[in-house]
């Protein structure tokens, strides 16, 4: 325990010394138009500006309040994500195909990358030659063409993966993902896959690998060339997006081993799950009173920032509301339409916006009904709250399946909701104490860390800026082809030589015997 305390103190002291040494000029790239992602990254902005770093952020979201040391370049108008991925269609049919999920990531990455770089404000910013940045800090979410900013400013790169691991993170850092026991990011498999599971995992992983290498990254190259091509006149040929990816110094990954299978790692891949979670703040007076006086506990229902409850079909809404009205527990429902208030039972409170982390931290919260996004899932794990998942797209189904295996969760598809099915699930989870006990156990595992994840994140951001990219972190294995990494060339060449030497000799011996 004493050694651990000394290590933590030394770690934070070194981080502080690096910060004091210099306030760095950091360009933060947040082109993805996902509100939940932005809400996580705002915590990084606050932490970095508090440490006197100058942050310039390119994003579609205004910060919303004055902040010293912060400057923003807005993608205006923002990308019309609700037109591209309409909520109504997601309520009507859940996304179940793994290949459809992959295609969604690729399509979204190409469209949002191109849209952001074609924004007038961003084009004007790219053309400016009076700026200098010590570090490029970018969200790692399928906007690889934006890494060309690192070439423009000759700056090192740190990225933040808001969604967890992808196989190509391993390749960026110099290792190969073992598909024999590490499932692809869209799959819910464990590390003890059956033969059929390993076969399917290999097919999905190989499809992702090939499509990304032969189509997706070349498309991102084209986007980067169109936006930054003028640099070739003064800086020479532009690097490829692949080369820029290989130059990333550190990837901060929103990942925790409790919600995932074991996987090999390498320097430069840092788990930071829960970095966005803060100590709970006091609730608004009416909400505090509502929760404090809940003798049978409180259920919190939210579908996140994108899947808004106000957009759900009215028959589903009515079924859910009838169930809530029949419960002993009180319910807080994040619902984005005030007109809903008139028909709400007395044990239900409707809030257009709710302080989710603070609600989950309250001692009387007994159940969280959620869509299964990474951020809310980690908040539920941190605070030890049983969770009923309603997954819709992306990683949500995977998160739900893995939480179920930990014993603190169940899931049901939104399309299957009726008053009976929904009521049965809610009542079962509030009556069975094992969900609560397992959630509290997971909470202990989630919080038991050597270093606070936000402090570790800030340490590595400052470390890379201070040591000009910290090239000593990168393995030379990034220069190996996949068959060299797997030692296939070392195995095949000797076998070929043996065959070359032995086969002619055998033929000569057989011919001699015939004579």
């Amino acid at each position: 325990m004493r050694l651990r305390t000394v290590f933590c103190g030394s770690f934070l002291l070194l981080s502080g010394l690096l910060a004091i040494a210099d306030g760095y000029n950091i360009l933060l790239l947040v082109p993805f138009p996902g509100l939940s992602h932005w809400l996580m990254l705002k915590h990084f902005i606050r932490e970095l500006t508090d440490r006197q770093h100058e942050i310039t952020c390119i994003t579609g979201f205004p910060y919303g309040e004055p902040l010293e040391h912060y400057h923003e370049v807005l993608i205006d108008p923002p990308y019309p994500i609700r037109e591209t991925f309409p909520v109504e269609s997601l309520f009507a049919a859940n996304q179940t195909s793994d290949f459809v999920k992959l295609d969604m990531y690729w399509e979204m990455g190409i469209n949002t990358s191109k849209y952001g770089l074609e924004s007038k404000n961003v084009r004007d910013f790219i053309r400016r030659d009076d700026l200098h940045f010590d570090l490029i800090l970018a969200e790692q979410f399928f906007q690889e063409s934006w890494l060309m900013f690192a070439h423009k400013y000759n700056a090192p790169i740190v990225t933040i993966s808001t969604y967890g691991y992808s196989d190509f993170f391993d390749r960026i850092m110099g290792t190969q993902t073992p598909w024999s026991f590490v499932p692809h990011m869209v799959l819910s498999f464990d590390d003890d896959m059956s033969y059929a599971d390993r076969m399917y995992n290999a097919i999905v992983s190989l499809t992702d690998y090939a499509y990304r290498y032969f189509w997706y990254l070349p498309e991102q190259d084209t986007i980067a060339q169109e936006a930054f091509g003028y640099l070739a006149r003064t800086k020479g040929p532009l690097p490829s997006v692949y080369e820029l990816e290989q130059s990333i110094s550190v990837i901060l990954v929103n990942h925790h081993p409790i919600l995932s299978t074991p996987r090999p790692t390498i320097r430069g891949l840092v788990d930071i799950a829960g970095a966005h979670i803060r100590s709970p703040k006091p609730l608004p007076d009416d909400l505090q009173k509502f929760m404090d006086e809940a003798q049978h506990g409180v259920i919190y229902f939210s579908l996140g920032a994108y899947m808004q409850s106000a957009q759900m079909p009215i028959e589903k809404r009515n079924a859910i509301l009838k169930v809530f009205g029949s419960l002993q527990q009180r319910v807080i429902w994040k619902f984005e339409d005030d007109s809903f208030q008139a028909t709400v039972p007395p044990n239900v409170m409707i809030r257009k916006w709710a302080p989710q982390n603070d609600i989950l931290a309250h001692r009387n919260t007994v159940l969280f009904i959620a869509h299964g996004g990474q951020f809310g899932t980690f908040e539920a794990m941190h605070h030890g709250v049983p969770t009923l998942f309603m997954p819709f797209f992306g990683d949500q189904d995977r998160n739900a399946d893995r939480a179920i295996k930990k014993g603190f969760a169940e899931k049901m598809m939104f399309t299957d909701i009726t008053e009976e099915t929904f009521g049965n699930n809610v009542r079962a989870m509030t009556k069975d104490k094992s969900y609560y006990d397992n959630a509290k156990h997971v909470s202990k595992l989630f919080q038991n860390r050597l270093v606070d994840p936000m402090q570790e994140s800030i340490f590595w951001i400052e470390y890379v800026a201070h040591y000009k990219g910290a090239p000593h972190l990168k393995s030379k294995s990034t220069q190996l082809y996949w068959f060299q990494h797997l030692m296939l060339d070392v195995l095949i060449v000797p076998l070929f030589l043996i065959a070359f030497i032995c086969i002619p000799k055998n033929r000569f011996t057989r011919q001699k015997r015939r004579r």
Side-chain angles (χ1 to χ4, degrees), residues 367-500:
L367 182 65
F368 180 29
I369 304 174
H371 61 304
Q374 192 91 303
F375 308 112
T377 301
F378 285 150
E379 288 169 6
M381 293 169 64
H382 180 90
H383 296 297
V385 180
T387 305
L388 175 60
F389 288 94
M390 292 181 187
F392 292 92
F393 62 91
D395 63 350
Q396 296 167 11
D397 202 55
R398 178 204 68 187
N399 295 338
D401 289 339
R402 292 178 177 175
I404 290 169
K405 292 170 184 175
K406 300 301 178 183
F408 72 95
E410 293 292 347
K411 78 171 179 178
M412 68 177 303
M413 308 312 289
F414 183 82
T415 51
D416 296 335
I417 286 179
T418 64
E419 186 176 345
E420 180 182 6
T421 58
F422 183 66
N424 289 342
N425 275 287
V426 172
R427 291 186 181 94
M429 293 197 69
T430 53
K431 290 179 181 178
D432 188 342
K433 192 173 181 295
S434 67
Y435 292 106
Y436 179 86
D437 293 339
N438 290 332
K440 294 305 178 186
H441 177 65
V442 166
S443 175
K444 292 177 181 178
L445 295 174
F446 188 83
Q447 294 188 53
N448 190 3
R449 310 170 187 231
L450 194 60
V451 182
D452 174 81
M454 178 56 80
Q455 293 304 313
E456 186 170 12
S457 301
I458 300 302
F459 170 83
W460 286 114
I461 290 169
E462 293 174 342
Y463 186 94
V464 171
H466 185 76
Y467 291 108
K468 313 299 182 185
H472 54 279
L473 294 178
K474 293 287 290 207
S475 169
K476 293 297 189 291
S477 59
T478 56
Q479 301 170 15
L480 298 177
Y481 292 105
W482 64 269
F483 58 85
Q484 293 174 311
H485 186 93
L486 297 175
M487 296 284 285
L488 296 181
D489 55 336
V490 174
L491 294 173
I492 291 173
V493 171
L495 290 175
F496 178 79
L497 290 175
I498 291 171
F500 181 79

Side-chain angles (χ1 to χ4, degrees), residues 260-274:
S260 185
T261 57
R263 61 184 300 139
T265 189
I266 195 170
R267 285 184 304 182
L269 294 173
V270 182
D271 291 348
I272 61 162

Side-chain angles (χ1 to χ4, degrees), residues 223-244:
I223 294 170
Q225 290 285 341
E226 290 173 354
F228 295 91
Y230 79 98
L231 293 174
R233 295 194 296 269
T234 55
K235 297 174 71 71
L238 270 61
S240 67
V241 169
Y242 176 83
E243 292 171 317
L244 290 167

